[in-house]
Amino acid sequence: MRQRPDGRLDFIGRVDHQVKHRGYRIELGEIEQTLRACPGVDDAAVALEDEQLVAYIATTATPESTSTSASAPSTPSRAPSPEPTPASASGPEPTPTPAPAPVTAKDARAWTAGRLPGYMVPGTVHVLDELPLTTAGKIDRRRLATSAARAGSRSDEPRDRLELEVLEAFRRVLDEPGMGPHDAFFESGGDSRLAVTLLGRLRGGLRRPVAARLLWERPTAAGLASALRELG
Protein backbone atom coordinates (compact mmCIF):
# COMPACT_ATOMS: atom_id res chain seq x y z
CA MET A 1 0.00 0.00 0.00
CA ARG A 2 0.99 3.61 -0.58
CA GLN A 3 -0.69 6.57 1.08
CA ARG A 4 -1.37 9.68 -0.94
CA PRO A 5 -1.09 13.18 0.55
CA ASP A 6 -4.91 13.33 0.68
CA GLY A 7 -5.01 10.20 2.85
CA ARG A 8 -6.22 7.76 0.19
CA LEU A 9 -4.41 4.46 -0.24
CA ASP A 10 -3.08 2.97 -3.49
CA PHE A 11 -2.56 -0.77 -3.82
CA ILE A 12 0.72 -1.18 -5.67
CA GLY A 13 0.96 -4.95 -5.65
CA ARG A 14 2.16 -7.74 -3.42
CA VAL A 15 5.77 -7.74 -2.33
CA ASP A 16 5.88 -11.53 -2.37
CA HIS A 17 4.75 -11.67 -6.04
CA GLN A 18 1.82 -13.96 -5.26
CA VAL A 19 -0.85 -14.13 -7.98
CA LYS A 20 -4.04 -16.03 -8.69
CA HIS A 21 -4.00 -18.06 -11.91
CA ARG A 22 -6.63 -20.55 -13.10
CA GLY A 23 -8.21 -20.48 -9.67
CA TYR A 24 -4.94 -21.26 -7.87
CA ARG A 25 -2.92 -18.89 -5.74
CA ILE A 26 0.71 -19.36 -6.65
CA GLU A 27 4.08 -17.86 -5.79
CA LEU A 28 5.88 -16.58 -8.85
CA GLY A 29 9.13 -17.00 -6.93
CA GLU A 30 8.66 -20.77 -6.87
CA ILE A 31 8.49 -20.84 -10.67
CA GLU A 32 11.51 -18.56 -10.90
CA GLN A 33 13.57 -20.82 -8.62
CA THR A 34 12.66 -23.82 -10.76
CA LEU A 35 13.74 -22.01 -13.92
CA ARG A 36 17.03 -20.92 -12.35
CA ALA A 37 17.80 -24.57 -11.64
CA CYS A 38 17.53 -25.37 -15.36
CA PRO A 39 21.00 -25.95 -16.87
CA GLY A 40 22.02 -22.96 -18.95
CA VAL A 41 19.68 -20.49 -17.24
CA ASP A 42 21.44 -17.70 -15.35
CA ASP A 43 18.42 -15.84 -14.03
CA ALA A 44 14.65 -15.83 -14.39
CA ALA A 45 11.59 -13.71 -13.72
CA VAL A 46 7.93 -14.62 -14.11
CA ALA A 47 4.92 -12.34 -14.47
CA LEU A 48 1.19 -12.73 -14.99
CA GLU A 49 0.28 -10.90 -18.21
CA ASP A 50 -3.17 -11.01 -19.80
CA GLU A 51 -4.12 -13.98 -17.59
CA GLN A 52 -1.07 -15.92 -18.81
CA LEU A 53 2.14 -16.81 -17.02
CA VAL A 54 5.06 -15.31 -18.92
CA ALA A 55 8.65 -16.19 -18.08
CA TYR A 56 11.79 -14.22 -18.90
CA ILE A 57 15.06 -16.11 -18.67
CA ALA A 58 18.63 -14.90 -19.09
CA THR A 59 21.11 -17.24 -20.68
CA THR A 60 24.71 -16.78 -21.68
CA ALA A 61 26.98 -18.92 -23.83
CA THR A 62 30.16 -19.75 -21.98
CA PRO A 63 33.18 -19.88 -24.30
CA GLU A 64 35.10 -21.62 -21.51
CA SER A 65 32.96 -24.70 -22.02
CA THR A 66 34.77 -25.33 -25.29
CA SER A 67 38.19 -25.44 -23.66
CA THR A 68 40.09 -28.66 -23.29
CA SER A 69 40.03 -30.68 -20.12
CA ALA A 70 42.52 -29.50 -17.49
CA SER A 71 42.70 -32.83 -15.68
CA ALA A 72 45.57 -34.29 -17.72
CA PRO A 73 48.78 -34.12 -15.67
CA SER A 74 51.84 -32.45 -17.16
CA THR A 75 54.74 -34.71 -18.10
CA PRO A 76 58.32 -33.83 -17.24
CA SER A 77 60.64 -32.87 -20.07
CA ARG A 78 62.85 -35.65 -21.41
CA ALA A 79 66.01 -35.78 -23.42
CA PRO A 80 65.37 -36.49 -27.10
CA SER A 81 65.50 -40.18 -27.93
CA PRO A 82 67.47 -41.36 -30.92
CA GLU A 83 64.69 -43.68 -31.95
CA PRO A 84 60.96 -42.76 -32.21
CA THR A 85 58.70 -44.46 -29.71
CA PRO A 86 55.62 -46.29 -31.01
CA ALA A 87 53.25 -44.22 -28.87
CA SER A 88 53.38 -40.84 -27.20
CA ALA A 89 54.49 -41.04 -23.58
CA SER A 90 51.97 -38.43 -22.55
CA GLY A 91 48.97 -40.31 -23.99
CA PRO A 92 46.32 -39.00 -26.38
CA GLU A 93 45.57 -35.32 -26.65
CA PRO A 94 42.62 -34.22 -24.47
CA THR A 95 39.37 -34.00 -26.41
CA PRO A 96 37.70 -30.56 -26.44
CA THR A 97 34.41 -30.47 -24.62
CA PRO A 98 31.64 -29.36 -27.00
CA ALA A 99 29.74 -26.24 -26.02
CA PRO A 100 26.26 -26.98 -24.68
CA ALA A 101 23.33 -26.06 -26.89
CA PRO A 102 21.68 -22.76 -25.90
CA VAL A 103 18.55 -23.05 -23.81
CA THR A 104 15.36 -22.55 -25.82
CA ALA A 105 11.88 -21.53 -24.73
CA LYS A 106 10.74 -25.11 -25.29
CA ASP A 107 13.55 -26.42 -23.08
CA ALA A 108 12.53 -24.09 -20.26
CA ARG A 109 8.85 -25.06 -20.49
CA ALA A 110 9.70 -28.75 -20.56
CA TRP A 111 11.92 -28.29 -17.50
CA THR A 112 9.16 -26.62 -15.49
CA ALA A 113 6.53 -29.06 -16.78
CA GLY A 114 8.52 -31.93 -15.31
CA ARG A 115 8.76 -30.29 -11.90
CA LEU A 116 5.68 -28.13 -11.36
CA PRO A 117 1.90 -28.57 -11.71
CA GLY A 118 0.47 -27.66 -15.10
CA TYR A 119 -1.10 -24.43 -13.87
CA MET A 120 2.36 -23.18 -12.86
CA VAL A 121 4.04 -23.83 -16.22
CA PRO A 122 4.61 -20.56 -18.16
CA GLY A 123 2.66 -20.38 -21.39
CA THR A 124 5.28 -18.11 -22.93
CA VAL A 125 9.02 -17.98 -22.33
CA HIS A 126 11.25 -15.14 -23.55
CA VAL A 127 14.95 -15.93 -23.82
CA LEU A 128 17.17 -12.88 -23.24
CA ASP A 129 20.89 -12.30 -22.91
CA GLU A 130 20.24 -10.50 -19.62
CA LEU A 131 17.31 -9.31 -17.52
CA PRO A 132 16.76 -5.58 -16.94
CA LEU A 133 17.98 -4.41 -13.54
CA THR A 134 17.19 -1.45 -11.32
CA THR A 135 19.90 0.86 -10.02
CA ALA A 136 19.85 -1.28 -6.86
CA GLY A 137 20.77 -4.36 -8.89
CA LYS A 138 17.37 -6.06 -8.61
CA ILE A 139 15.24 -7.32 -11.51
CA ASP A 140 13.24 -4.43 -12.96
CA ARG A 141 9.92 -6.20 -13.50
CA ARG A 142 8.32 -3.15 -15.09
CA ARG A 143 10.81 -3.29 -17.97
CA LEU A 144 10.66 -7.03 -18.68
CA ALA A 145 8.14 -6.88 -21.52
CA THR A 146 9.75 -3.87 -23.21
CA SER A 147 13.21 -5.42 -22.90
CA ALA A 148 11.99 -8.59 -24.59
CA ALA A 149 10.40 -6.58 -27.40
CA ARG A 150 13.50 -4.45 -27.99
CA ALA A 151 15.87 -7.41 -27.89
CA GLY A 152 13.76 -9.53 -30.23
CA SER A 153 13.80 -12.33 -27.65
CA ARG A 154 14.30 -15.88 -28.83
CA SER A 155 10.84 -17.24 -28.03
CA ASP A 156 8.32 -19.49 -29.68
CA GLU A 157 5.39 -17.71 -28.11
CA PRO A 158 1.88 -17.73 -29.61
CA ARG A 159 1.40 -14.84 -31.99
CA ASP A 160 -2.08 -13.83 -30.84
CA ARG A 161 -5.02 -14.78 -28.61
CA LEU A 162 -6.39 -17.33 -31.11
CA GLU A 163 -3.08 -19.18 -31.37
CA LEU A 164 -2.74 -19.15 -27.59
CA GLU A 165 -6.22 -20.66 -27.11
CA VAL A 166 -5.51 -23.37 -29.68
CA LEU A 167 -2.14 -24.12 -28.04
CA GLU A 168 -3.71 -24.32 -24.58
CA ALA A 169 -6.20 -26.86 -25.93
CA PHE A 170 -3.33 -28.92 -27.39
CA ARG A 171 -1.49 -28.85 -24.06
CA ARG A 172 -4.47 -29.87 -21.98
CA VAL A 173 -5.65 -32.67 -24.23
CA LEU A 174 -2.15 -34.13 -24.57
CA ASP A 175 -1.17 -33.28 -20.98
CA GLU A 176 1.96 -31.61 -22.35
CA PRO A 177 2.38 -28.21 -20.63
CA GLY A 178 5.72 -27.68 -22.36
CA MET A 179 4.29 -28.02 -25.86
CA GLY A 180 5.08 -25.16 -28.24
CA PRO A 181 3.00 -23.69 -31.07
CA HIS A 182 5.08 -25.49 -33.71
CA ASP A 183 4.97 -28.97 -32.14
CA ALA A 184 2.82 -31.39 -34.15
CA PHE A 185 -0.22 -32.92 -32.44
CA PHE A 186 0.26 -36.49 -33.68
CA GLU A 187 4.02 -36.45 -33.11
CA SER A 188 3.45 -35.38 -29.50
CA GLY A 189 1.29 -38.34 -28.50
CA GLY A 190 -1.97 -37.48 -30.21
CA ASP A 191 -4.18 -40.10 -31.86
CA SER A 192 -7.63 -40.24 -33.44
CA ARG A 193 -9.38 -40.53 -30.07
CA LEU A 194 -7.56 -37.53 -28.62
CA ALA A 195 -8.16 -35.65 -31.86
CA VAL A 196 -11.92 -35.97 -31.30
CA THR A 197 -11.46 -34.64 -27.76
CA LEU A 198 -9.35 -31.76 -29.02
CA LEU A 199 -11.82 -30.77 -31.71
CA GLY A 200 -14.66 -30.81 -29.21
CA ARG A 201 -12.69 -28.60 -26.82
CA LEU A 202 -11.81 -26.17 -29.60
CA ARG A 203 -15.37 -25.92 -30.89
CA GLY A 204 -16.66 -25.24 -27.40
CA GLY A 205 -13.93 -22.81 -26.43
CA LEU A 206 -13.80 -20.88 -29.70
CA ARG A 207 -17.55 -21.13 -30.28
CA ARG A 208 -17.08 -21.87 -33.94
CA PRO A 209 -16.90 -24.96 -36.16
CA VAL A 210 -13.50 -26.60 -36.53
CA ALA A 211 -13.31 -29.17 -39.33
CA ALA A 212 -11.42 -32.37 -38.53
CA ARG A 213 -9.50 -32.20 -41.81
CA LEU A 214 -7.82 -28.97 -40.67
CA LEU A 215 -6.12 -30.79 -37.82
CA TRP A 216 -4.75 -33.44 -40.20
CA GLU A 217 -3.66 -30.84 -42.74
CA ARG A 218 -2.14 -28.46 -40.18
CA PRO A 219 -1.37 -30.47 -37.04
CA THR A 220 0.38 -27.71 -35.08
CA ALA A 221 -1.26 -25.05 -32.95
CA ALA A 222 0.30 -22.33 -35.10
CA GLY A 223 -0.84 -24.02 -38.33
CA LEU A 224 -4.34 -24.72 -37.11
CA ALA A 225 -4.78 -21.18 -35.80
CA SER A 226 -3.57 -19.85 -39.15
CA ALA A 227 -6.11 -22.00 -40.97
CA LEU A 228 -8.91 -20.76 -38.73
CA ARG A 229 -7.76 -17.19 -39.29
CA GLU A 230 -7.94 -17.66 -43.04
CA LEU A 231 -11.50 -18.98 -42.77
CA GLY A 232 -12.50 -15.86 -40.86
Side-chain angles (χ1 to χ4, degrees), residues 187-216:
E187 294 178 3
S188 302
D191 54 26
S192 57
R193 179 181 60 84
L194 291 175
V196 172
T197 303
L198 174 66
L199 292 169
R201 180 182 287 272
L202 288 172
R203 290 162 183 160
L206 300 177
R207 297 182 181 180
R208 59 175 295 175
V210 181
R213 65 174 178 79
L214 292 179
L215 179 61
W216 267 263

Side-chain angles (χ1 to χ4, degrees), residues 84-103:
T85 56
S88 173
S90 62
E93 291 292 327
T95 304
T97 303
V103 179

Side-chain angles (χ1 to χ4, degrees), residues 13 42 52 60 91 132 163 188 196 205 215:
D42 294 334
Q52 179 190 185
T60 54
E163 190 168 307
S188 302
V196 172
L215 179 61

Side-chain angles (χ1 to χ4, degrees), residues 30-32 34-35 111-122 177:
E30 184 177 352
I31 307 174
E32 293 171 352
T34 301
L35 284 166
W111 177 269
T112 54
R115 292 159 178 79
L116 296 173
Y119 60 85
M120 295 180 71
V121 176

